[in-house]
Amino acid sequence: GEKVEQHESTLSVREGDSAVINCTYTDTASSYFPWYKQEAGKSLHFVIDIRSNVDRKQSQRLTVLLDKKAKRFSLHITATQPEDSAIYFCAASRDSNYQLIWGSGTKLIIKP
Amino acid sequence: GGIITQTPKFLIGQEGQKLTLKCQQNFNHDTMYWYRQDSGKGLRLIYYSITENDLQKGDLSEGYDASREKKSSFSLTVTSAQKNEMAVFLCASSSGTGFEQYFGPGTRLTVL
């Protein structure tokens, strides 16, 4: 079946540095790519998404890049803060009638 | 704003037992989801529902039943609990598939 992979299970960066979390997907027809954040002991919440009609989307310190040729998308966090520490999940789906396929999560650790 | 509530927070059952998990949302969302999150892994879709009385199977539906009798509620039944399905079960809702999902706090299932 179709897959979404997050190759880094853990990523550690110094506070104030940038962090990049990468995902790859297998379904060429994927067109919707959301990111969710799960803080310790809490449930998931949405952070940002991108659709395949654009290759970049920014919201404050977060930027998502999409490379459809490479079937890769990434979440960039600038000026990291302690509250960015969490597990980040990427996901992909074909369109509004298809279920999301989820990655396994990347744990982001922000070191002081 | 709105909220998703899941009951119970912790569910302990015996192997082979039938168990029911409940979810309520007050966002007035049409679409609701049930996911299973195994420790250290991503989310897998069990069932989703795009409107009242609708049910759609996800990749992990075997061994589960679901019910959407009202727009605001979505319940999941584990038909015969097994030790290998000890996990956190997450309920979510959205205004439609392909849109931001809002997650509940989860029900942690333990099977003795």
Side-chain angles (χ1 to χ4, degrees):
Chain A
E2 302 298 347
K3 288 183 184 177
V4 172
E5 295 200 62
Q6 292 183 246
H7 299 280
E8 308 106 348
S9 57
T10 307
L11 177 64
S12 186
V13 301
R14 291 232 171 264
E15 185 178 345
D17 288 351
S18 293
V20 181
I21 302 172
N22 296 293
C23 286
T24 56
Y25 59 98
T26 58
D27 186 357
T28 313
S30 294
S31 61
Y32 175 62
F33 306 89
W35 288 87
Y36 286 79
K37 177 181 180 182
Q38 186 173 34
E39 293 166 77
K42 296 187 178 178
S43 195
L44 280 77
H45 70 264
F46 172 85
V47 286
I48 192 170
D49 62 9
I50 190 167
R51 295 185 192 271
S52 58
N53 57 335
V54 296
D55 54 18
R56 178 191 174 96
K57 182 175 179 179
Q58 183 173 357
S59 174
Q60 299 181 317
R61 294 186 297 110
L62 304 178
T63 302
V64 183
L65 300 179
L66 174 63
D67 181 344
K68 292 189 286 288
K69 268 190 184 172
K71 291 191 280 186
R72 182 172 58 219
F73 58 114
S74 56
L75 175 67
H76 297 244
I77 307 173
T78 58
T80 53
Q81 300 167 4
E83 52 266 36
D84 296 327
S85 293
I87 301 174
Y88 289 82
F89 291 94
C90 62
S93 73
R94 283 188 172 189
D95 63 26
S96 60
N97 292 319
Y98 284 82
Q99 60 179 291
L100 284 172
I101 308 297
W102 294 79
S104 55
T106 297
K107 184 174 184 177
L108 177 62
I109 299 168
I110 308 299
K111 297 181 292 189
Chain B
I3 192 166
I4 296 185
T5 55
Q6 290 187 240
T7 54
K9 192 173 171 67
F10 299 96
L11 182 56
I12 301 173
Q14 300 290 330
E15 205 163 19
Q17 192 176 357
K18 184 174 174 180
L19 301 166
T20 298
L21 294 71
K22 293 187 184 294
C23 177
Q24 297 260 5
Q25 53 96 1
N26 64 359
F27 288 98
N28 200 34
H29 282 160
D30 287 316
T31 307
M32 296 186 75
Y33 311 81
W34 275 108
Y35 290 98
R36 192 174 103 185
Q37 185 177 28
D38 293 74
S39 182
K41 301 210 174 149
L43 279 65
R44 287 188 287 174
L45 184 65
I46 306 171
Y47 269 97
Y48 68 105
S49 166
I50 61 173
T51 190
E52 190 176 323
N53 293 317
D54 174 75
L55 285 176
Q56 308 283 339
K57 291 184 178 182
D59 288 343
L60 202 63
S61 62
E62 183 138 352
Y64 302 95
D65 286 328
S67 174
R68 181 98 183 267
E69 292 129 348
K70 291 193 299 185
K71 187 175 182 179
S72 61
S73 67
F74 194 27
S75 59
L76 180 73
T77 298
V78 182
T79 55
S80 175
Q82 303 299 315
K83 286 192 193 294
N84 64 2
E85 62 191 336
M86 292 203 292
V88 175
F89 290 78
L90 294 171
C91 176
S93 72
S94 66
S95 55
T97 55
F99 292 91
E100 177 182 347
Q101 295 182 22
Y102 294 80
F103 283 82
T107 292
R108 182 174 292 277
L109 174 64
T110 300
V111 182
L112 303 176

